[in-house]
Amino acid sequence: MLITFNGQPREVPPGRLSALLVELLPASGCGAGVAVAVNGEVVPRSAQAECWLRPGDVIDVVSAVPGG
Amino acid sequence: MIVRAESGGTIPDDDVLVIAGEPLSSRFFLGTGGLPRLSLLESVLAAARPGLVTVSVRRTSTREPGGLLGTVRSHGVRVLPNTAGCLSAREAVLTAELAREALETDWVKLEVIGDESSLLPDAVELLEAAETLVAKGFTVLPYAPPDPVLARRLADVGCEAVMPLGAPIGSGLGVLDPWTLEAVVAAVEVPVVLDAGIGTASDAARAMELGCAAVLAASAVTRAEDPPAMARALRLGVEAGRAARSAGRIPRRAVARASSPMTGRIG
Amino acid sequence: MPRAVLQVTVLGAGIIGLTCADELRRRGHRVRVLDPHPGAGASYAAAGMLAPDAESWHGERELFELGRESVAYWSALAERLGIGLHRRGTLLVGHDAADLQAATRQADLLAHLGVPPRRLGRDALRALEPGLGRVAGGYLLTDDLSVDPRAAVAALRSRLADVLEPVAGDLGDATRAEADAVVVATGAELPVPFTHLVRRVRGETVRVRCEDPPAHVVRGEVRGQPVYLVPRDDGEVVIGATSEEHDAAAVATLGGVARLLDAARPLWPGLDRASWLQVVARDRPGTHDNRPLVGPTHLPGVLLAAGHHRHGVLLAPLTARVIADHLEGGALIDAWDPRRFDERNPC
């Protein structure tokens, strides 16, 4: 199904947000420092396994960068 | 808590900067945007010894690129995410929420820009975002125009500090309007942090002499020819200005007033 | 005693991979170059300024000196490839007073580095380039040259046609086993386990055809926005470039192009009559300390020739020498040793 990931359209299999993140974020074992929003709402780490993706979902993943 | 200054002197316990009940180790805050190479961050942090370090939040597909957070935290400094680039209250609120989740802090430097060429804040969206974020439990430090009336409104809706600009971001022009800055200091009880426009150490000292509780600088450091040296200079400038403020300066007079005795002169 | 003939596999056929392969062949070694899209990465967008002077910055003296060394090697390389070098020099200008201050900072740095550029007022600049727009003043940098990277890549591909294979290549056991060494020159995307050493810095460039292009490379800041105009012999002018840290695919944006044109047009008003050729965005490979990654890694037999950021075209011939010298006898530029990051935890 088609979703938008960080502004780019992407074809992904249906599933949980947590599974998608594991696949799309390179495995580095660093843990914290990243946050995810689905359709403009933050989905905390604790809720990512219970979040089921739907076609057309807009997903944004952010982390800290130098700035300010 | 004693903070040891470069010269060997100390800042007394009763002059520690407290924001939202949290004591901060320094009145000099550092922004991280604009460094010519990431490898400078370590030496800049060591020279600046800042009380807070600001970072931005952006889309990414890698966890913690470049080790930014690790480097900052290894210096024991609190990280303050900003909502730089947001043009509306809605965007700023979402960015703040993402930052809270990513960086595990309730503190946010709220920026809502109204004009992309001057980068001046949008006061209306800023106030709305501040109110929303305070209600959501954030500790809000808003970047604001130098305006005592707006400063009072921001403090009234629950912001824990006010951060008026001295001059446009990156302009290096220092404090363009000292009288209005003093009016902001007088208008609110919360700490006033001069943010934006700092060019060099004397600008930072000036802001502190005008009554600011702290100074935030980014471009002044990151775009200087020698960023670690300028970070040190600004840190010292902030300390000097604060010390001068507390020492009670002499009045400015139009006529001379001799400092040596007039009686007993030879001839 | 004759030198051993080495079998080297080069991953990546951009300017770096191709010059490394070419140098190794020139020294009598056998090479294979693997790339499904040769020359399609940053080399395709690059303007090709060979500009150690204009690009220098504080705290990067050794990059400046190595850059100058590499410019010297470009003459021989260009001749061997049968392509020309643009030798008219660079005008470093400022549009307004603050822009001129920025140019003066650069000039002061160059004076400090021993190569003071000549200061030129408005009239002198217009005499050199009658088409120049409103400028507050500037400097002439005579030692910065330029080359057309696409012409260089085409010439290299032609010379290496018999060993260039349109496949991706990897660092698997098979690849490593069949060669004495593997040189990784894949640009902004390095294979595991080196991926974290390089971050993507997108650059947008615009190519136009100008009836009356500048004779020199013209660069500087216009109201704080850096811009450059690099002319080719046939009237093509490369306008560049933006620089943006990001993680998504490198696409050209309207905003980026608008910023470049807003800066380019005041410098060269004749651009308004230029015809569109192309807008290209690609990723530069950035490193933590702005120095390239050239040399051996913790994996035996695997070398990197990567992380050149803004200086790929400039440093290509020097990189090729370092790689070949290292493979033949272990020499290295210490500052470029990829193993300097081995203790750094990518987290």
Side-chain angles (χ1 to χ4, degrees), chain A residues 2-11 57 59, chain B residues 59, chain C residues 248-251:
Chain A
L2 199 63
I3 58 155
T4 305
F5 182 82
N6 275 354
Q8 301 288 318
R10 250 195 138 91
E11 190 62 43
D57 272 349
I59 301 173
Chain B
R59 280 175 174 168
Chain C
V251 290

Side-chain angles (χ1 to χ4, degrees), chain C residues 25-74:
Chain C
R25 267 246 285 227
R26 194 184 69 80
R27 298 187 187 196
H29 302 292
R30 286 196 292 272
V31 299
R32 278 175 74 208
V33 186
L34 311 181
D35 194 326
H37 306 292
S43 308
Y44 189 65
M49 289 177 293
L50 307 178
D53 288 13
E55 291 277 325
S56 60
W57 192 241
H58 293 265
E60 298 180 352
R61 177 178 208 122
E62 127 265 310
L63 199 55
F64 162 76
E65 286 168 355
L66 292 170
R68 284 203 142 219
E69 193 185 326
S70 203
V71 174
Y73 296 143
W74 255 108

Side-chain angles (χ1 to χ4, degrees), chain B residues 85-226:
Chain B
C86 292
L87 304 173
S88 70
R90 195 190 58 80
E91 272 177 45
V93 169
L94 174 59
T95 304
E97 289 178 324
L98 285 165
R100 171 155 70 176
E101 171 70 13
L103 301 173
E104 295 168 330
T105 175
D106 287 331
W107 287 44
V108 64
K109 182 186 153 193
L110 178 61
E111 295 180 37
V112 188
I113 299 304
D115 178 74
E116 298 228 62
S117 60
S118 66
L119 298 179
L120 288 173
D122 180 328
V124 173
E125 296 287 311
L126 181 69
L127 198 53
E128 186 190 316
E131 205 165 9
T132 306
L133 289 172
V134 167
K136 287 174 184 272
F138 282 85
T139 296
V140 179
L141 284 67
Y143 160 65
D147 174 352
V149 175
L150 181 63
R152 203 172 295 133
R153 280 187 176 263
L154 288 165
D156 286 349
V157 302
C159 293
E160 296 284 358
V162 177
M163 304 185 76
L165 61 94
I169 294 173
S171 67
L173 293 170
V175 178
L176 285 175
D177 184 352
W179 292 274
T180 309
L181 184 60
E182 274 187 309
V184 170
V185 170
V188 296
E189 305 286 310
V190 295
V192 174
V193 180
L194 194 288
D195 176 25
I198 295 286
T200 186
S202 49
D203 298 332
R206 186 102 200 281
M208 297 303 287
E209 285 169 356
L210 289 166
C212 288
V215 165
L216 189 152
S219 301
V221 171
T222 60
R223 299 188 205 273
E225 289 175 10
D226 186 344

Side-chain angles (χ1 to χ4, degrees), chain C residues 86-257:
Chain C
H86 176 272
R87 295 178 184 276
R88 276 299 282 273
T90 296
L91 292 181
L92 176 65
V93 300
H95 173 67
D96 65 24
D99 297 325
L100 180 56
Q101 267 181 38
T104 300
R105 268 176 133 198
Q106 194 70 28
D108 288 346
L109 171 62
L110 289 172
H112 179 72
L113 291 170
V115 288
R118 182 150 64 99
R119 168 89 186 227
L120 298 170
R122 265 199 210 94
D123 294 338
L125 283 168
R126 286 259 170 62
L128 280 180
E129 290 283 6
L132 212 49
R134 218 202 90 189
V135 288
Y139 299 84
L140 174 62
L141 277 51
T142 49
D143 301 337
D144 279 357
L145 314 181
S146 78
V147 68
D148 183 348
R150 294 180 182 179
V153 166
L156 285 161
R157 283 177 71 177
S158 167
R159 286 165 71 83
L160 292 159
D162 55 322
V163 295
L164 183 50
E165 297 167 44
V167 295
D170 58 36
L171 286 176
D173 292 337
T175 313
R176 290 167 59 190
E178 70 200 8
D180 294 307
V182 178
V183 177
V184 177
T186 55
E189 187 104 34
L190 297 184
V192 168
F194 306 116
T195 321
H196 66 282
L197 291 177
V198 148
R199 67 184 199 282
R200 296 189 236 169
V201 184
R202 179 182 63 201
E204 293 148 302
T205 55
V206 176
R207 279 159 167 83
V208 298
R209 174 98 52 217
C210 219
E211 291 164 351
D212 187 20
H216 300 73
V217 168
V218 177
R219 62 184 288 165
E221 289 187 12
V222 176
R223 293 185 282 267
Q225 170 70 38
V227 70
Y228 56 70
L229 309 174
V230 179
R232 305 274 189 238
D233 288 335
D234 58 359
E236 181 181 315
V237 175
V238 183
I239 305 168
T242 55
S243 189
E244 190 100 33
E245 304 270 343
H246 81 117
D247 256 336
V251 290
T253 61
L254 189 117
V257 170

Side-chain angles (χ1 to χ4, degrees), chain B residues 36-39 60-62 64 66-67 223-225, chain C residues 57-60 105 199 247 288-290 344 346-347:
Chain B
R37 48 194 182 279
L38 296 174
S39 51
T60 183
S61 60
T62 44
E64 215 184 299
R223 299 188 205 273
E225 289 175 10
Chain C
W57 192 241
H58 293 265
E60 298 180 352
R105 268 176 133 198
R199 67 184 199 282
D247 256 336
H288 186 71
D289 56 7
N290 281 1
R344 263 191 83 236
C347 302

